């Protein structure tokens, strides 16, 4: 049984920073890419970022490139998302996923999600 537990969300002013964490269990964690998606009210879940199992290859949505940084610590079975210069349009529930690279970039195909963590950016 795969379990993904996100944390680190909260309320922050525009221009501020947050660091999200996602702890994984029930899967051979280090052998899979991991990533983040987000879903704003009334909108579809959208891809944010993905990182390879080795941690040396990453990809970002255009809307967050240069502001967000994904990383992972395989010893802790954890993936992180450092979010800087946050904007009101970043407000959403953020979810982490374990899956193939292609599936993570297409959220509708992902099998395993965490419960999500709310990020709210005030203007």
């Amino acid at each position: 049984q795969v379990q993904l537990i996100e944390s680190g969300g909260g309320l922050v002013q525009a221009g501020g920073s947050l660091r999200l964490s996602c702890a994984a269990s029930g899967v051979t964690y280090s052998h899979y890419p991991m990533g983040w998606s987000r879903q704003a009210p009334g909108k579809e879940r959208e891809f944010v970022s993905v990182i390879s199992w080795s941690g040396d290859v990453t990809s970002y949505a255009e809307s967050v490139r240069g502001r967000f940084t994904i990383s992972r610590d395989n010893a802790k079975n954890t993936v992180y998302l450092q979010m800087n210069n946050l904007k009101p349009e970043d407000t959403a529930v953020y979810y982490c996923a374990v899956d193939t690279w292609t599936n993570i970039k297409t959220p509708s195909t992902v099998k395993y999600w965490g419960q999500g963590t709310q990020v709210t950016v005030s203007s």
Side-chain angles (χ1 to χ4, degrees), residues 17-92:
S17 299
L18 284 173
R19 188 192 194 204
L20 306 183
S21 300
C22 174
S25 63
V27 66
T28 307
Y29 167 82
S30 63
H31 294 175
Y32 285 91
M34 292 194 71
W36 293 90
S37 292
R38 65 187 182 186
Q39 189 165 16
K43 295 187 177 181
E44 292 187 353
R45 195 166 299 189
E46 64 173 0
F47 165 75
V48 173
S49 183
V50 59
I51 186 167
S52 65
W53 70 269
S54 63
D56 59 351
V57 182
T58 59
S59 180
Y60 297 91
E62 185 61 35
S63 59
V64 307
R65 189 173 294 124
R67 300 186 298 120
F68 291 11
T69 302
I70 191 170
S71 62
R72 66 191 291 168
D73 184 340
N74 288 347
K76 296 182 179 180
N77 290 352
T78 301
V79 64
Y80 306 96
L81 187 69
Q82 177 67 43
M83 306 185 296
N84 297 329
N85 191 22
L86 283 160
K87 304 176 180 181
E89 51 263 43
D90 294 318
T91 295

